[in-house]
Amino acid sequence: MKKILIAGAIVAAGALGYWLSQDKENNDQFLQNTALNYIPQETPLFSAQLTPFPIKTYVNSLSDADKKATAELFEGLPITDDPRGQFFNVLFNEYVTSLTSGEQFIQTWGLAEAVHGYFYTWGAIPVLKVDIANEKAFWHQLDKAESQSGMTHTQGQLQQVQYRIYALGDEATKLDMLVAVNHHRLIVTFNTALNDEDLLTSALEISPISDALSDSVMLDKIIDKYHFSDSSVSFINHEALIKGITTLDGNRLATQLARYAKIEGEDGFAEFKQVQCSQELQGIAANWPRTVMGLKGYSVTEESSMFDLTTVIETNNTVILNALGAMRGFIPHYVQHLDGAVAALGLGLDTSQIASSLADIWDDLLTPEYQCESLKQFQLQLSQSDPAMLGMMTSMAKGVMGASVSLLDYQLTESDGGAVLKSADFIASISSDEPVLLLNMAKMFLPNFAKVTLPSDGSVVDITDSLGLPSEWPIALKLAIKGKHLVIYSGKKGQAAAEQLGLEKLVKNDLAMVAFDSSRMLAPLQAYAKITGAHDVVDLSNIEPQNMEVKIALNVDEGGIIIDSFVKSYKNNEQ
């Protein structure tokens, strides 16, 4: 549980926060992003905050639990006597301390109240840039980390730009971290044996490049195509990655990998550079060109933050897209909208389409007659799996469009020195064109249901005794057919959700979805621990509720495979 909450804090406070901004009125935002003049169009990885991100407000919106989880993450890093490790440890500790308030954070690191940010790779070499308002404050933090760790830097200069060099490698490995400030941007990159001469002049923003992102409409097209906010865009360029490992000099990544192979005396990607492999892998990459990410909506205040992020795995493979689209099923409102519930899970699958869709996908993957040995082996292994077996299993559940479950509420109490369930409201449902037939089929596999007679008019049957639940559990399980849904529920909230479900029509709306409210997960456990002073359920002594709602959905449309991620966090318990 503790690790789950820490991971949740990282998602909310780090990745999604990085993509946030608040200036949506300027339609010419790319013209203001002069950093794009130095970023190549072929970059394999790219993520940019294109309009100012209100970092001060965002830090103020973080809860104490968020900050504590971040601190615990850094505490888990290995402690070393090496000056290099100590150097970063000092910086990490200062970072955690600076999260006390938004004002302290920006003063510590010399940032403005709102900043642009950029991360990309020049081939394989990462480059990070962020707006900086007071570079003296930032250099002060590096000086302090050096004095406390014994780490030292040397000074470098390229034309008019000075930079610090921190040697991170050993005698056999050249790995230098370079830190500079130019054009009011903090720049961090690396100098290795793989670098070419253009990297530093570009990364340090001395000379613009001829194939810059600013000279293309790539970002505009991504935003327009997927209706992203114009605040931020991220992508993984599959074609650039594949070209890097299948050619000797097809792009900057390929050139760097060729240098690495020469240094090592062997090329780990030699097979993929053979003509057939190179052509076939690049053909696959062209069919799955990119993964793109962007915000659909957001808001940040001193008390809360919300991020609605969409990730699209692009593909031109209409066979697979059509097959996945045909498999889409129904996920009910109680999964899509928590509305005060603890957690929910939904699987939307049209069982009548699973067999044929899987067969289409299998046939499509096995159809190309690959000459590349690795691809031939992949096809051989795939051919030994038979999706028909799954089709036989799903044919028994013909007409089913999805299955979902939600824990709406629960409370614990003490009994005989231990925790027992005081109450639980939940709902579980299977959606089908023929819910009565589904129940009769279930009777074949669940003998306890054999004598259950269920009217189709929505009447409720108590099945608590039929399931043989422990007598001490204060749960009355009710079974009913509500519209096109076979429902099991308990409690008043479960009943209300069942009645609402009965009004919902079967429509194809998603493939899968999971949602949870972290504070409502922990609240009953902590209330029990506070009353009893016991931690027999889970050790809650160091866990604080992270007031966070999370929803992740998997879907598909004509553009590709879609992952929607929604996160809303609150500074205080009040929601």
Side-chain angles (χ1 to χ4, degrees):
M1 177 69 73
K2 187 173 182 181
K3 291 181 178 179
I4 292 174
L5 295 177
I6 291 173
I10 296 169
V11 171
L16 294 178
Y18 182 74
W19 286 315
L20 176 71
S21 80
Q22 60 186 6
D23 179 9
K24 299 175 66 177
E25 298 179 355
N26 189 347
N27 293 324
D28 297 323
Q29 77 276 12
F30 297 135
L31 298 179
Q32 300 182 11
N33 285 270
T34 57
L36 298 178
N37 296 334
Y38 307 92
I39 301 175
Q41 298 174 29
E42 65 163 22
T43 176
L45 302 177
F46 173 84
S47 182
Q49 184 60 50
L50 299 171
T51 54
F53 165 39
I55 183 69
K56 179 182 176 182
T57 303
Y58 183 72
V59 171
N60 283 334
S61 76
L62 297 177
S63 68
D64 291 339
D66 292 327
K67 297 171 184 178
K68 186 175 181 179
T70 303
E72 289 178 344
L73 173 69
F74 289 138
E75 288 172 0
L77 295 176
I79 299 176
T80 174
D81 293 331
D82 190 295
R84 293 168 295 186
Q86 288 292 323
F87 175 75
F88 288 107
N89 187 57
V90 172
L91 291 176
F92 292 154
N93 288 336
E94 189 64 37
Y95 173 81
V96 171
T97 301
S98 69
L99 289 174
T100 301
S101 70
E103 184 65 29
Q104 182 172 340
F105 185 82
I106 65 173
Q107 288 185 359
T108 298
W109 302 104
L111 303 176
E113 293 186 7
V115 297
H116 297 80
Y118 310 85
F119 174 82
Y120 64 96
T121 58
W122 182 279
I125 308 300
V127 184
L128 174 66
K129 301 180 180 182
V130 64
D131 292 348
I132 193 162
N134 181 3
E135 62 179 277
K136 290 183 179 179
F138 182 80
W139 295 129
H140 171 70
Q141 293 303 324
L142 293 190
D143 290 339
K144 185 167 66 173
E146 287 186 31
S147 65
Q148 294 181 20
S149 66
M151 182 72 167
T152 60
H153 74 272
T154 56
Q155 198 70 26
Q157 182 168 342
L158 187 59
Q159 297 186 29
Q160 76 280 13
V161 179
Q162 294 184 344
Y163 55 90
R164 292 190 181 190
I165 304 171
Y166 290 95
L168 304 181
D170 51 32
E171 294 181 359
T173 304
K174 180 181 180 181
L175 176 60
D176 297 334
M177 183 175 73
L178 276 54
V179 185
V181 172
N182 194 19
H183 297 151
H184 304 291
R185 276 187 283 272
L186 170 67
I187 302 169
V188 180
T189 189
F190 296 87
N191 195 18
T192 74
L194 308 182
N195 290 20
D196 54 40
E197 295 180 357
D198 294 338
L199 188 149
L200 288 187
T201 57
S202 171
L204 297 179
E205 301 193 355
I206 295 172
S207 300
I209 57 178
S210 59
D211 61 335
L213 270 176
S214 57
D215 296 328
S216 81
V217 294
M218 181 191 305
L219 302 183
D220 305 81
K221 286 185 174 180
I222 291 174
I223 289 173
D224 291 342
K225 182 176 182 178
Y226 300 109
H227 308 291
F228 291 160
S229 160
D230 58 11
S231 61
S232 62
V233 179
S234 302
F235 62 77
I236 303 172
N237 189 333
H238 306 160
E239 291 185 280
L241 288 170
I242 294 300
K243 184 177 288 187
I245 67 174
T246 59
T247 66
L248 289 172
D249 55 5
N251 57 17
R252 293 177 177 90
L253 177 60
T255 302
Q256 292 170 352
L257 292 178
R259 289 190 188 123
Y260 181 76
K262 186 174 181 180
I263 293 171
E264 292 294 309
E266 61 177 349
D267 186 352
F269 299 111
E271 177 191 352
F272 301 144
K273 291 182 172 65
Q274 297 175 5
V275 175
Q276 289 296 335
C277 281
S278 179
Q279 292 177 350
E280 290 171 355
L281 286 170
Q282 289 186 51
I284 293 173
N287 225 14
W288 299 80
R290 289 179 308 200
T291 295
V292 300
M293 291 155 277
L295 287 169
K296 290 292 184 70
Y298 60 87
S299 67
V300 170
T301 69
E302 296 280 338
E303 298 299 325
S304 67
S305 59
M306 180 278 290
F307 310 95
D308 190 355
L309 174 72
T310 293
T311 301
V312 182
I313 304 173
E314 295 181 331
T315 181
N316 300 312
N317 191 315
T318 56
V319 173
I320 291 181
L321 282 181
N322 291 339
L324 292 175
M327 290 170 59
R328 292 169 71 240
F330 171 76
I331 293 180
H333 178 277
Y334 70 77
V335 178
Q336 296 180 5
H337 306 276
L338 281 179
D339 294 333
V342 178
L345 174 66
L347 184 63
L349 286 176
D350 184 347
T351 57
S352 64
Q353 298 293 326
I354 290 178
S356 59
S357 293
L358 288 179
D360 289 343
I361 293 173
W362 247 251
D363 289 344
D364 183 74
L365 294 175
L366 293 174
T367 296
E369 296 183 1
Y370 291 123
Q371 301 302 310
C372 179
E373 186 61 31
S374 294
L375 294 177
K376 289 172 64 175
Q377 288 299 318
F378 165 76
Q379 286 186 319
L380 178 62
Q381 294 177 6
L382 192 65
S383 66
Q384 295 172 353
S385 303
D386 188 0
M389 294 298 295
L390 182 58
M392 293 175 60
M393 296 172 59
T394 56
S395 64
M396 299 180 64
K398 186 177 180 180
V400 171
M401 288 283 287
S404 301
V405 61
S406 176
L407 176 59
L408 303 170
D409 198 5
Y410 77 103
Q411 298 295 327
L412 300 174
T413 189
E414 186 180 19
S415 177
D416 298 328
V420 297
L421 195 62
K422 181 180 180 181
S423 65
D425 289 45
F426 82 94
I427 180 173
S429 60
I430 300 179
S431 302
S432 171
D433 286 324
E434 300 182 70
V436 175
L437 179 62
L438 190 64
L439 175 62
N440 292 332
M441 187 180 303
K443 291 180 181 181
M444 300 170 55
F445 303 96
L446 301 172
N448 290 344
F449 271 19
K451 297 182 180 180
V452 174
T453 301
L454 186 64
S456 59
D457 61 359
S459 300
V460 177
V461 175
D462 193 312
I463 59 170
T464 308
D465 294 336
S466 299
L467 292 182
L469 295 180
S471 58
E472 63 270 19
W473 282 22
I475 300 176
L477 288 181
K478 305 298 178 64
L479 179 67
I481 292 176
K482 298 293 184 181
K484 295 292 187 179
H485 316 279
L486 181 63
V487 185
I488 297 178
Y489 68 87
S490 71
K492 293 182 178 180
K493 293 182 179 179
Q495 180 180 359
E499 296 297 334
Q500 167 65 33
L501 180 59
L503 302 176
E504 297 182 43
K505 296 182 179 179
L506 288 185
V507 293
K508 290 176 176 285
N509 54 15
D510 266 306
L511 281 170
M513 184 176 295
V514 60
F516 65 87
D517 186 315
S518 61
S519 63
R520 287 189 167 92
M521 278 184 172
L522 277 178
L525 291 169
Q526 293 191 306
Y528 164 78
K530 183 176 181 180
I531 294 172
T532 64
H535 301 290
D536 59 312
V537 180
V538 63
D539 184 3
L540 304 171
S541 57
N542 294 315
I543 299 181
E544 298 179 39
Q546 289 175 266
N547 306 308
M548 183 188 306
E549 296 178 16
V550 177
K551 181 174 70 175
I552 300 173
L554 176 66
N555 208 342
V556 63
D557 68 9
E558 66 279 2
I561 299 170
I562 302 169
I563 302 171
D564 288 317
S565 305
F566 175 90
V567 176
K568 188 172 185 178
S569 60
Y570 304 86
K571 184 174 183 178
N572 301 309
N573 290 328
E574 294 81 6
Q575 300 183 14

